[in-house]
Amino acid sequence: MKLEIHKLNSYYGPAHILFDVDISVGTGEVVALLGRNGAGKSTTFRSIVGLVARREGRIVFDGEDITNRPTHEIVRRGLGYVPEDRRIFTELTVEENLMVGAQPARDGAPCWTPEKLYTLFPNLGEMRGRLGGRMSGGEQQMLTIARTLMGNPSLVLLDEPSEGLAPKIVEEMANAILAMKNEGLSIVLSEQNLHFARLISDRAYIIESGRIRFGGTIRELEESPEIRDAYLAV
Amino acid sequence: MEFFVVQFLTGLASAASLFLVASGLSIIFGVTRIVNFAHGAFYMLGAYVAYTLTERFEGFFGFWGGILLAALVVAAIGALLEIVLLRRIYRAPELFQLLATFGVTLMVQDLVVMIWGPEDLVGPRAPGLRGAVDILGLAVPTYDLFLIVLGPLVLGALWILFHRTRWGVLVRAATQDRDMVAALGVNQTWLFTSVFALGIFLAGLGGALQIPRNAVTHLMDLSIIVEVFVVVVIGGLGSVLGAFIAAVLVSELNAFGILVFPKISIVLVFLVMACVLIVRPWGLLGRPEGPARQPAGLSIRPWHPMSPNQRLLMLALVVVAGFVPLVAGNYVLTVLAEIAVFALFAASLHFLMTVGGLASFGHAAYFGLGAYGAAFATTMFGAPMVASLLLGPLLGVAGAILFGWFCVRLSGVYFAMLTLAFAQIAWSIAFQWVEVTGGDNGILGVWPASWASSPAAFYWLALAVSVAGIAALRVLVFSPFGYALRATRDSALRSEAIGIDRARVQWAAFIIAGTFAGIAGALFAFLKGSVFPDNLAIPMSVDGLVMVLLGGIETVSGAVVGAVVYKALAIWLVSQTDLSKLVLGAVIVLLVVAFPKGIVGFAEDLMARRRARTDDGGAALAAPAKAAPAAPGSGAAPIAAPKMEAAR
């Protein structure tokens, strides 16, 4: 297993947010974490990379327990994180944003250069000198993914990559994620949008109120409409 | 004409050092969000160390090597400070780091006198730059010309560092979003240390470069720190170019202000700063700050009004305090009266800072105005004491109404700086309007009425007024107004969206805080029998901040405890040791490290933990940290609903 999460519990101050979350991701797999707004998807990701102050359980990445490591160490082991709210450095140019993400190449992970990323996201190549704050939402979404890829991760957590994007851009995004998968990257993506997740994922988990309610293949999910209706329908 | 040119050049030369120090402060603030109060202390250390080194190693290389080495030594001390002290408290509430650096400043002030003695020291002149150059018939020191050239050179070097190196890009990224930088695999710890060291290097260099121009004194830290704050705020926090422009502006204002407006020379700079902040609230080249990214779940403990038992306990404490005159001597009673006055002052600032979320760096203005008001009423109009106590604070209220109207348009550090500017303006008026205020000599003969003239009687008076004031403030916290105020603190945007007039609510809070500070000031005038410009000077404002932070900024009434502890400690130390500042500074630093939530915040944590243990994990809702339900999944559904925003 590439990433194993065992009985993860997370808290914000006195509030208990995640309850015994179990997730596992195989090497080269694309796994979707589905759930409604506020179900705990982002908190799961933030807990994995150590951005939540208090968490319990075991998180094993590439065979090593990373539960209590500081964020930058977790990321440097090859676990990339793309936040939902993008968090582009608006005062930095596209090139500089990529520079912040840069980490040395590692074995067992695709190696990215700015040039290679400009082929993956052609829009970015045309605006290398533009400030992050002067880009559209879709362009920022591409930049935030490219920035994380500059760290040459072997697994990426993508938090709602399709959120707020125009349909045409969503399609481009799906293609980019498939291209990343073809490079050998393991991917966990959180989504509210089942259609988008179906296009690219191998397996899926459903989270609701901080608990995992379903885990299985996309096909199994498609064959159980009652689960979809219970946890995903709006 | 020639004279003006020379004056202009002198201003430019002064700007160089000011720019170095200010850019250092600006860079440190940008990344670490620390308002480094100790920046002036490092500037002073730079000058002292450079003095020692250049005395020791003479000649061209001795001098320039000494200057550079001094800056490096000071930077190393700064890095050490960051590693040993500041790293422990980055996650503490905002401004807490300010308290820590204030403690360091106090320590450095005494240490410098211990090591180098109290006398002013005159350093060597710069080899190779000793003479003067003839410009338009007037002699301009060569060293001044060197400094004029140096400023832009340093500016250019910093620009290259920040735009052409990966380190610089990381620093700029961290200035905007440091958590995201960590989430990209950058070790913030060392980034922060290196940024802090660079900032302190610039401060040390600024100080070291001063020695051929000015004598080295143990007061130079305070004289520069305020000016540096002004420069950084005018220029825009985090902007190096802004710091440069503002340093030139401020230095030229100083150089020409004394010629053109000698009467208001001191206040001129602050007037300009106030104008800049009103027109461009984030400084000339700064950028409007987004709403602060709250570290979710840092400390969420809902405030509650006191339980009946707690009220009884408070009542009992007040009664005990009331009986103190039966056992205590006159000196102790006078000290206790002073502590009572400061408890009210601190509580008023605490109301603004904690409930309103508006950290004022100039709260002494309203305290001092209240004191002057009482003094005017007594000495000019011969009002009896009670009337003066009622009328005096009105001057503080007037000041708060006027200044507050401008201040509440800003928030965060800019708010703090504008309050500082207004306090300095009030101070300069008290200092320079000699005909009315007596200037530096103050106003004497503000004695209490005969019934209150005994130390015991005055103590009772101070205790009664202070307790009533603190109780009133506490009632306000849990009033509808208090809730509205807390809403504006937690989210200005959302509170406005539900129909709260943010500016008006905050303005009202400002006036309330100013009123109670004014009452404390009026009492203080009668306690001391006199008023001086010191009553509204910066050290008084800083004292208030220290008391609030020491008590605990996230508590309802921590300021009272902070005031009692800080004031008692300060008065006691002065009577016990010549090195009171060193000890007091060290105590503050230790308290900061031991109690990052303040004394009361620490006590509340402790009690909550104990309560959680006795309740056996059942009441997970009220308990913090360790009290989460032991058996997962059992009972205690998460109180997620109201917190969802933060949780996501």
Side-chain angles (χ1 to χ4, degrees):
Chain A
M1 279 287 133
K2 185 75 190 164
L3 174 71
E4 271 179 284
I5 298 162
H6 187 61
K7 282 197 181 298
L8 175 67
N9 283 272
S10 291
Y11 309 83
Y12 286 120
H16 193 165
I17 308 294
L18 296 184
F19 298 84
D20 292 336
V21 167
D22 286 328
I23 292 176
S24 59
V25 183
T27 305
E29 235 187 341
V30 177
V31 173
L33 180 61
L34 303 168
R36 294 194 186 103
N37 222 350
K41 303 186 296 289
S42 295
T43 303
T44 306
F45 283 4
R46 291 171 54 81
S47 302
I48 295 171
V49 288
L51 286 171
V52 172
R54 189 157 155 263
R55 59 200 194 285
E56 291 153 3
R58 241 167 80 81
I59 303 169
V60 179
F61 179 63
D62 274 343
E64 283 183 78
D65 189 335
I66 56 165
T67 318
N68 294 313
R69 311 308 307 166
T71 300
H72 71 269
E73 269 188 34
I74 294 172
V75 172
R76 280 191 193 182
R77 283 165 197 246
L79 203 164
Y81 165 61
V82 180
E84 175 195 18
D85 45 0
R86 296 172 193 148
R87 292 171 77 166
I88 288 302
F89 302 115
T90 50
E91 311 283 309
L92 268 54
T93 63
V94 168
E95 272 180 330
E96 286 172 334
N97 266 285
L98 295 182
M99 199 195 284
V100 176
Q103 294 287 335
R106 78 188 79 240
D107 293 335
C111 177
W112 301 91
T113 59
E115 290 311 319
K116 200 171 152 192
L117 287 164
Y118 295 145
T119 358
L120 185 62
F121 301 110
N123 284 1
L124 296 183
E126 289 159 21
M127 48 179 77
R128 303 173 193 202
R130 186 173 299 182
L131 288 183
R134 311 220 161 178
M135 300 168 76
S136 73
E139 290 158 357
Q140 286 194 348
Q141 186 62 49
M142 306 206 170
L143 179 57
T144 185
I145 294 175
R147 185 177 63 179
T148 297
L149 292 179
M150 282 297 287
N152 299 318
S154 54
L155 181 147
V156 181
L157 307 174
L158 285 177
D159 202 350
E160 301 215 22
S162 75
E163 192 196 24
L165 300 185
K168 187 174 173 305
I169 314 279
V170 172
E171 206 183 305
E172 274 179 40
M173 188 62 70
N175 288 332
I177 294 173
L178 284 174
M180 286 155 61
K181 185 191 178 184
N182 289 337
E183 293 274 339
L185 212 55
S186 313
I187 296 168
V188 187
L189 75 148
S190 78
E191 265 305 327
Q192 299 187 46
N193 179 345
L194 181 59
H195 296 293
F196 182 79
R198 252 178 38 198
L199 289 177
I200 48 184
S201 315
D202 303 316
R203 284 194 300 122
Y205 290 91
I206 293 180
I207 187 168
E208 197 227 28
S209 301
R211 292 166 212 268
I212 296 288
R213 306 288 184 171
F214 169 88
T217 62
I218 289 287
R219 176 180 288 269
E220 281 167 353
L221 181 59
E222 287 184 332
E223 285 166 2
S224 20
E226 71 284 357
I227 292 180
R228 291 205 317 261
D229 291 346
Y231 300 122
L232 296 178
V234 181
Chain B
M1 181 59 208
E2 294 82 0
F3 178 70
F4 280 102
V5 171
V6 171
Q7 194 72 4
F8 181 73
L9 291 176
T10 310
L12 278 186
S14 310
S17 264
L18 197 54
F19 161 62
L20 286 179
V21 185
S23 61
L25 187 77
S26 197
I27 293 167
I28 289 176
F29 176 83
V31 176
T32 66
R33 297 282 133 177
I34 286 185
V35 179
N36 180 25
F37 203 89
H39 215 66
F42 285 108
Y43 163 83
M44 175 168 72
L45 273 181
Y48 272 107
V49 174
Y51 170 83
T52 302
L53 290 175
T54 51
E55 287 289 300
R56 179 80 194 274
F57 308 104
E58 287 173 9
F60 184 83
F61 289 105
F63 178 85
W64 294 108
I67 298 278
L68 204 59
L69 189 59
L72 288 172
V73 167
V74 173
I77 299 174
L80 195 68
L81 176 78
E82 199 273 346
I83 293 169
V84 174
L85 175 62
L86 299 178
R87 262 186 204 180
R88 296 169 193 276
I89 54 174
Y90 279 124
R91 294 282 165 187
E94 203 188 346
L95 286 177
F96 213 70
Q97 299 89 0
L98 176 92
L99 180 60
T101 54
F102 172 72
V104 171
T105 307
L106 285 179
M107 291 168 72
V108 170
Q109 283 172 351
D110 264 3
L111 283 173
V112 159
V113 176
M114 269 170 75
I115 299 172
W116 283 281
E119 290 84 24
D120 291 3
L121 303 174
V122 180
R125 323 215 80 198
L129 300 174
R130 270 171 234 251
V133 176
D134 189 275
I135 291 178
L136 299 173
L138 287 164
V140 177
T142 320
Y143 192 73
D144 278 11
L145 295 178
F146 161 74
L147 287 179
I148 292 172
V149 176
L150 185 72
L153 283 181
V154 172
L155 177 65
L158 287 173
W159 192 89
I160 291 172
L161 182 64
F162 285 123
H163 288 84
R164 292 287 176 265
T165 69
R166 176 156 196 264
W167 183 85
V169 172
L170 289 183
V171 169
R172 281 163 55 218
T175 301
Q176 195 187 339
D177 188 344
R178 54 195 203 194
D179 277 348
M180 192 59 227
V181 172
L184 290 168
V186 177
N187 187 347
Q188 288 188 69
T189 317
W190 289 105
L191 190 64
F192 279 30
T193 306
S194 54
V195 164
F196 198 79
L198 172 69
I200 299 299
F201 173 83
L202 291 169
L205 189 62
L209 286 169
Q210 279 300 300
I211 61 170
R213 288 185 97 212
N214 298 320
V216 184
T217 82
H218 63 280
L219 297 174
M220 61 196 285
D221 61 334
L222 279 186
S223 63
I224 195 143
I225 190 71
V226 176
E227 227 167 60
V228 166
F229 276 150
V230 171
V231 165
V232 169
V233 167
I234 291 181
L237 280 163
S239 166
V240 174
L241 180 61
F244 182 79
I245 295 170
V248 171
L249 181 69
V250 166
S251 298
E252 293 302 344
L253 274 174
N254 282 335
F256 286 100
I258 200 87
L259 301 176
V260 186
F261 310 104
K263 267 278 172 195
I264 58 162
S265 59
I266 303 179
V267 76
L268 199 58
V269 171
F270 291 95
L271 277 176
V272 170
M273 169 166 143
C275 293
V276 168
L277 282 184
I278 289 161
V279 179
R280 266 189 80 86
W282 47 87
L284 291 176
L285 293 187
R287 288 174 196 275
E289 272 187 72
R293 205 177 271 279
Q294 293 270 343
L298 178 71
S299 61
I300 308 166
R301 186 179 302 122
W303 288 351
H304 298 293
M306 284 186 185
S307 66
N309 280 342
Q310 284 169 323
R311 276 183 208 170
L312 278 179
L313 181 70
M314 288 302 139
L315 190 67
L317 277 178
V318 171
V319 170
V320 169
F323 280 109
V324 166
L326 299 183
V327 290
N330 284 350
Y331 171 72
V332 172
L333 287 176
T334 314
V335 168
L336 288 179
E338 187 168 339
I339 291 176
V341 168
F342 276 96
L344 180 59
F345 173 53
S348 71
L349 177 60
H350 187 265
F351 181 77
L352 191 62
M353 276 177 77
T354 299
V355 189
L358 299 165
S360 168
F361 280 20
H363 201 53
Y366 316 101
F367 180 85
L369 283 174
Y372 270 97
F376 290 149
T378 306
T379 56
M380 281 184 190
F381 309 111
M385 183 183 81
V386 174
S388 299
L389 278 180
L390 290 172
L391 291 174
L394 291 180
L395 196 58
V397 175
I401 290 173
L402 178 66
F403 296 158
W405 189 82
F406 293 101
C407 291
V408 296
R409 294 151 165 253
L410 310 185
S411 62
V413 178
Y414 292 102
F415 171 89
M417 289 300 151
L418 191 57
T419 53
L420 177 79
F422 281 128
Q424 274 306 92
I425 291 170
W427 173 82
S428 335
I429 294 171
F431 189 77
Q432 285 190 317
W433 199 10
V434 180
E435 304 84 56
V436 176
T437 63
D440 208 11
N441 295 323
I443 301 173
L444 306 177
V446 191
W447 296 114
S450 54
W451 61 266
S453 60
S454 80
F458 197 84
Y459 165 74
W460 275 317
L461 175 70
L463 184 69
V465 173
S466 178
V467 166
I470 292 166
L473 283 169
R474 196 165 165 121
V475 167
L476 272 176
V477 175
F478 296 103
S479 70
F481 173 76
Y483 288 114
L485 183 60
R486 281 147 74 181
T488 67
R489 172 198 68 188
D490 292 342
S491 172
L493 210 61
R494 273 173 242 162
S495 65
E496 285 189 355
I498 58 168
I500 295 171
D501 186 343
R502 181 200 57 82
R504 180 176 283 238
V505 167
Q506 291 186 334
W507 189 27
F510 198 99
I511 296 166
I512 290 168
T515 307
F516 285 97
I519 294 170
L523 271 176
F524 188 71
F526 283 103
L527 175 72
K528 294 287 173 187
S530 54
V531 292
F532 294 101
D534 284 357
N535 296 155
L536 25 72
I538 290 170
M540 187 69 92
S541 294
V542 173
D543 274 2
L545 279 174
V546 171
M547 294 178 220
V548 171
L549 292 169
L550 205 53
I553 193 159
E554 290 171 346
T555 63
V556 189
S557 306
V560 177
V561 175
V564 172
V565 170
Y566 177 74
K567 208 64 205 171
L569 197 66
I571 294 173
W572 182 71
L573 282 174
V574 168
S575 71
Q576 294 296 313
T577 165
D578 289 337
L579 298 174
S580 61
K581 281 196 237 168
L582 180 64
V583 181
L584 188 62
V587 170
I588 289 176
V589 168
L590 285 177
L591 286 175
V592 165
V593 174
F595 308 121
K597 288 182 175 177
I599 297 171
V600 176
F602 175 77
E604 283 181 356
D605 269 3
L606 210 63
M607 280 196 294
R609 214 169 295 161
R610 181 165 303 168
R611 205 175 308 137
R613 213 172 295 142
T614 46
D615 289 0
D616 210 16
L621 217 153
K626 297 249 155 55
S634 74
I639 50 160
K643 291 280 176 292
M644 237 34 240
E645 192 91 25
R648 278 181 8 95

